[in-house]
Structures are given as C-alpha cells and as structure tokens.
C-alpha cells in the first residue's frame, strides 16, 4: 500500500479590515504598511502579504516630480488609487486626501473622501492634522468612511513647519501632539500615522491610544510601520530621509539596464533573431511574386 502524505492547506488569506488593524494591536503584532501608486507595485506587495497599502500624496514627489505634496490634486489621487485597487486584493487600501481637499470645508471633505471609495476603490482615507481636523474626521466617519489620522511631520504643512523637519521635540510640542492624538481617536480615527517624531514620544502616544499607530521615522515603539516604497527600493534619486532603510538600489539598476539597452541597439545586438518575427521561405517567395 502506498503512503500518500497529505499536507494541511495554508489558510486562505482574508481581506484586511480596520477591525483587523485593531486586533493586531491588541495581540501585539506589528502592522505592515507601504505606499503604492500603480498596479504592478500594488500586486507584488499584496502577494508579499502587506497588511495595508497607502496611496500616499507622496506620489506628487516620487512619481510626478513635484517639489512637495502641495500641488497634488484629487483627480491625480483618484487616477492612481484606481490602478492600485486593481492590483491589490487583500491589503486594506487607504487613499491620502490631498492638500485643500478637506481643509476648507467639512462638506467638501466628506464628498472628497467619498470619491476615494466610490471612484478610487479605496477602503479608507487618511488626512493630516490634529485638533483643527476633528470636525472633518467626525463628519467623514459619520458618513461611514474610515479615517486614518496623521500627526508629527505633516508634509502638506511644510511651509508652516519651515521645512521637512522632526516634530514634537520640545515639551510643549510633545504635549500638544499627545493631546491631538487623543482628540483624533475620540473623533473616530481607526489609526494614526506618526511621522518624524522622537521614538520615546511615539511609544508613549502608542501606549496611551487604543487605536494603532503607524510610524515613519518614529521608532520601533509604534504599533506598525510604513515607508514610502520608492525610498525603500532606492528608486527616488533626489534625497533619502535618515529614517529610511534602503532594501534595494532600483535607481542604479534602472540606469544599468537602460545603458545596456542603448549599447545593444547602437551595436545592432538587439533585436537578435529570437526577438524577431520571420516569414517562411515559401511566404517570402509568394510575397516576391506579387511585389
Ligand atoms: O504620502 C505619504 O506617502 C504619507 C506617508 C509618508 C505616511 O503620508
């Protein structure tokens, strides 16, 4: 009699929800999040098993070449969200509300947040700011849309902050950040990004909140981590913040591949026979007869 080994099938992966975020915090399991702006990147990080994908307005800098995130529009965000939502089946998808899509008017904020779900295929939205955004957060959550907050270095306020610099370093700034975090939780945020704040402060805030914090340049004491994928892949040549760990050098690899292609074309080594379509001798002869 032959022995057949039956292995237990891997449990089917489930779509990540905002509830799953909360449960991960309760179990002490780190939440993984990355940014994506297109279909193939979203597909490969979804297959890798990332918990959440943020279509960040950082796309203005790393994809569209703007100097900062201020010029990014709703239409640009929706265009990229649609591509990401076609690539990712399981990750919780979060669309980043761009500058002036939620600051001026709470009704606009709700309508624009709605576009991320209806037109962009997102599951939730993210917006920047603390106490001054509480009304917008309440109204968006009231419309049934999950909201992620964002405190610390908030790039849409770069002109107010005087540059891309760490936040919450003085006692009063740290106190204000903690108060803002508690207000956002109370207003209904399901999670909070903490960007470029001292690690000790981020850990303290994370312990005070029951919603999960996602850190970027905020140390290991947050409930999860996010990085801008173009930084992680070494794809953005302009600058790399100190808090980034580069896992690849895609910019260098692209330069190498392009230089090799140019050299091949110039030397007539590309396309080779295997890259070309050919006619049979018979087909060629019959063409010559009619030509
Ligand atoms: O726009 C973005 O990518 C972000 C992350 C840095 C959190 O807001």
């Amino acid at each position: 009699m032959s022995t057949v080994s039956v292995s237990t099938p891997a449990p089917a992966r489930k779509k990540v929800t905002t509830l799953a975020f909360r449960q991960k915090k309760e179990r002490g399991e780190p939440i993984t999040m990355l940014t994506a702006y297109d279909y193939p990147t979203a597909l490969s990080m979804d297959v890798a098993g990332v918990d959440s994908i943020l279509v960040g307005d950082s796309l203005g800098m790393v994809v569209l070449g703007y100097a900062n995130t201020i010029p990014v529009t709703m239409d640009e965000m929706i265009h990229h969200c649609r591509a990401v939502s076609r690539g990712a089946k399981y990750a919780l998808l979060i669309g980043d509300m761009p500058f002036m899509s939620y600051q001026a008017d709470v009704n606009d904020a709700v309508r624009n947040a709605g576009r991320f779900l209806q037109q962009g295929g997102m599951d939730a939205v993210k917006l920047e700011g603390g106490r001054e955004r509480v009304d917008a957060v309440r109204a968006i959550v009231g419309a049934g849309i999950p909201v992620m907050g964002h405190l610390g270095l908030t790039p849409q306020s770069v002109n107010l902050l005087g540059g891309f610099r760490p936040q919450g370093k003085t006692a009063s700034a740290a106190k204000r950040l903690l108060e803002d975090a508690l207000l956002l939780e109370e207003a209904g945020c399901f999670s909070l990004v903490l960007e470029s704040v001292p690690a000790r402060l981020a850990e303290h805030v994370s312990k005070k909140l029951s919603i999960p914090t996602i850190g970027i340049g905020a140390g290991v004491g947050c409930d999860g981590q996010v990085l801008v994928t173009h930084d992680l892949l070494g794809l953005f040549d302009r600058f790399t913040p100190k808090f980034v760990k580069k896992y690849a050098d895609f910019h260098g690899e692209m330069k190498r591949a392009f230089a090799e292609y140019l050299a091949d074309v110039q030397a007539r080594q590309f396309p080779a026979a295997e890259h070309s379509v050919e006619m049979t001798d018979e087909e060629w002869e019959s063409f010559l007869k009619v030509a």
Side-chain angles (χ1 to χ4, degrees):
M1 205 171 83
S2 67
T3 51
V4 181
S5 77
V6 182
S7 55
T8 324
R13 202 177 161 209
K14 286 206 291 219
K15 169 82 184 170
V16 180
T17 60
T18 55
L19 178 66
F21 255 51
R22 184 76 161 240
Q23 289 167 339
K24 278 206 148 195
K25 175 169 178 135
E26 283 159 11
R27 290 198 297 265
E29 285 174 28
I31 297 165
T32 56
M33 181 160 135
L34 283 169
T35 67
Y37 319 101
D38 60 46
Y39 170 85
T41 312
L43 180 66
S44 56
M45 59 182 62
D46 201 50
V47 168
V50 75
D51 291 315
S52 178
I53 298 179
L54 171 70
V55 185
D57 65 350
S58 50
L59 76 86
M61 296 173 77
V62 301
V63 175
L64 303 177
Y66 300 141
N68 54 46
T69 58
I70 306 284
V72 178
T73 65
M74 273 300 297
D75 287 346
E76 284 167 339
M77 289 305 303
I78 297 294
H79 174 80
H80 287 273
C81 285
R82 288 165 73 91
V84 167
S85 72
R86 287 190 285 264
K89 272 210 322 239
Y90 301 108
L92 179 77
L93 302 181
I94 304 172
D96 208 2
M97 298 193 71
F99 184 58
M100 278 302 131
S101 67
Y102 59 93
Q103 288 93 338
D105 183 275
V106 167
N107 293 325
D108 272 357
V110 176
R111 270 189 282 274
N112 284 322
R115 282 188 68 192
F116 275 94
L117 273 66
Q118 266 189 327
Q119 299 169 13
M122 298 288 102
D123 304 310
V125 297
K126 175 172 87 58
L127 53 78
E128 297 180 5
R131 61 200 67 196
E132 64 289 355
R133 298 293 155 246
V134 160
D135 288 345
V137 171
R138 257 190 236 293
I140 298 170
V141 173
I145 302 169
V147 179
M148 172 177 263
H150 184 158
L151 292 175
L153 171 52
T154 45
Q156 291 173 18
S157 306
V158 63
N159 295 320
L160 199 62
L161 301 176
F164 294 99
R165 48 188 343 131
Q167 300 295 310
K169 290 183 78 173
T170 64
S172 62
K175 178 169 175 281
R176 190 179 165 88
L177 191 140
L178 173 60
E179 287 167 1
D180 281 348
L182 292 166
L183 285 169
L184 289 173
E185 171 170 81
E186 207 266 319
C189 281
F190 74 92
S191 177
L192 195 60
V193 167
L194 295 176
E195 178 166 354
S196 216
V197 301
R200 268 199 250 196
L201 174 62
E203 185 172 355
H204 181 75
V205 172
S206 305
K207 285 187 178 145
K208 289 278 178 194
L209 297 180
S210 37
I211 57 170
T213 58
I214 309 293
I216 172 162
V220 78
C222 293
D223 301 303
Q225 298 292 328
V226 59
L227 277 180
V228 169
T229 293
H230 285 51
D231 290 337
L232 169 156
L233 294 178
L235 195 51
F236 185 55
D237 65 317
R238 264 195 269 160
F239 68 88
T240 310
K242 172 181 175 300
F243 54 72
V244 169
K245 179 171 173 186
K246 264 198 190 187
Y247 287 82
D249 175 26
F250 275 29
H251 183 66
E253 186 56 17
M254 278 166 70
K255 274 201 304 195
R256 184 205 58 73
F258 296 145
E260 226 173 90
Y261 167 75
L262 301 188
D264 274 0
V265 170
Q266 284 153 0
R268 294 195 187 283
Q269 282 184 353
F270 178 83
E274 69 265 30
H275 308 120
S276 306
V277 181
E278 224 3 313
M279 283 167 131
T280 61
D281 288 347
E282 227 172 33
E283 286 163 343
W284 184 243
E285 290 307 328
S286 56
F287 162 67
L288 290 180
K289 277 186 200 141
V290 296

